[in-house]
Amino acid sequence: MAAGYLLDVLVRDPERGHPVAAFGRAAGWWERRVYRDSAVAGAVFAAGAVLPAVGLGWLAGRGGQAATAVLTWAVLGGDMLCREAEGIARALESGDLERARELLPRLCGRDPRGLGEREIARAVVESVAENTSDAVVGPLVWGALGGTAGLAGFRAVNTLDAMVGHRSPRYRRFGTPAARLDDLAGWGPARLTALLAVAAAPLVGGDAVTALRIWRRDGDRHPSPNAGQCEAAFAGALGVSLGGTNVYGENTESRPVMGDGPPPAVRDIRRAVRLSRAVGAGALAVAAL
């Protein structure tokens, strides 16, 4: 797993033929065949997508340590997450607001139209916080607990949530089982992410005691039982405030504010990336132990 983590840092994901993208296409094919506007159909969809991924992951593990390293690289997304965030930071630092708006959908589902520099910076910091758990800590934790089957299973669950877990009219019922399964699988990783962010706060100019206080106070304010833990801890570690009004296509959500500082500035994107990398390294140490 340590070798796979290092590969994620050194080897960029291919633009074509990535295993996670292949799983997404297969899951899309499966969805088109079982979709009904019901939670029962959603449960069939989730089971029919996740169980084969777990089985294939287990078979991959039969290939030994090299296969485990390659699978770890395939399911981790920490380096891509940080590179996408840094790309938006560079655009904002150069004053190219339109370019930053173009890049934002590659990181999160928020509607970038009309967003200013501060709103984009907040969206990036929130996405880095949440996805540090989903793309790095979660796979490592489940890899430690379940080996290659755990690695593949967690990535499958998380991918399904991204595909059907949102509350659109089509997925309000059908996507509920996948969303709840993702909440369950991500419960421990999200809280480990928050704990590691608190511990790493001094590395980004923050204070661990303050970060702990903000996490404990604000972690349950978010509508997501897991994303709120990560975002509150990052807000405390970075000394910023997260939350507010978010626009997703035709839907507008107002979320409670987490943290006591000002809204994130462009420089806080770089700090969030450093914090994310520190949390990922800490999660690797925990998983190895």
Side-chain angles (χ1 to χ4, degrees):
M1 288 178 64
Y5 183 91
L6 184 60
L7 283 173
D8 182 58
V9 174
L10 298 176
V11 181
R12 292 193 174 190
D13 294 337
E15 294 185 5
R16 294 183 178 181
H18 194 284
V20 175
F23 171 79
R25 290 192 295 271
W29 175 88
W30 177 235
E31 177 196 343
R32 291 190 293 273
R33 277 145 185 81
V34 301
Y35 177 82
R36 301 290 185 278
D37 187 17
S38 76
V40 173
V44 171
F45 166 70
V50 172
L51 292 177
V54 171
L56 289 173
W58 179 82
L59 287 174
R62 307 283 287 181
Q65 294 180 349
T68 301
V70 171
L71 184 59
T72 302
W73 164 78
V75 303
L76 288 179
D79 188 64
M80 176 180 286
L81 169 67
C82 292
R83 283 192 285 105
E84 294 289 354
E86 288 171 337
I88 296 173
R90 285 192 297 272
L92 292 175
E93 289 163 353
S94 66
D96 193 346
L97 186 59
E98 285 304 315
R99 177 59 177 164
R101 288 172 178 163
E102 289 176 7
L103 293 174
L104 186 62
R106 297 169 60 172
L107 193 62
C108 66
R110 209 164 301 182
D111 188 346
R113 294 174 296 179
L115 292 184
E117 180 179 291
R118 286 277 186 170
E119 289 84 0
I120 291 176
R122 177 170 69 85
V124 174
V125 171
E126 290 174 354
S127 296
V128 168
E130 179 180 357
N131 287 302
T132 296
S133 178
D134 289 342
V136 185
V137 180
L140 291 172
V141 167
W142 281 98
L145 295 174
T148 50
L151 283 165
F154 179 82
R155 176 50 64 218
V157 168
N158 192 246
T159 302
L160 292 187
D161 180 62
M163 292 175 61
V164 305
H166 38 90
R167 296 180 178 179
S168 66
R170 176 179 173 85
Y171 295 127
R172 193 176 304 276
R173 295 185 182 88
F174 181 82
T176 296
R180 296 293 79 80
L181 185 60
D182 183 69
D183 288 343
L184 181 63
W187 193 94
R191 283 146 185 82
L192 177 59
T193 298
L195 183 62
L196 292 170
V198 167
L203 299 178
V204 292
D207 176 70
V209 174
T210 300
L212 178 62
R213 177 178 61 82
I214 298 297
W215 170 35
R216 300 303 298 161
R217 187 192 72 187
D218 297 345
D220 292 328
R221 291 182 177 181
H222 196 282
S224 166
N226 296 331
Q229 308 299 318
C230 307
E231 292 184 20
F234 267 62
L238 296 170
V240 300
S241 291
L242 301 177
T245 300
N246 300 333
V247 178
Y248 302 91
E250 298 179 355
N251 299 321
T252 300
E253 298 182 6
S254 295
R255 295 178 177 175
V257 174
M258 296 175 286
D260 292 334
V266 177
R267 69 182 185 90
D268 294 314
I269 296 177
R270 301 281 190 181
R271 297 173 63 224
V273 167
R274 293 201 303 272
L275 184 59
S276 176
R277 293 192 186 279
V279 169
L284 175 64
V286 171
L289 289 172

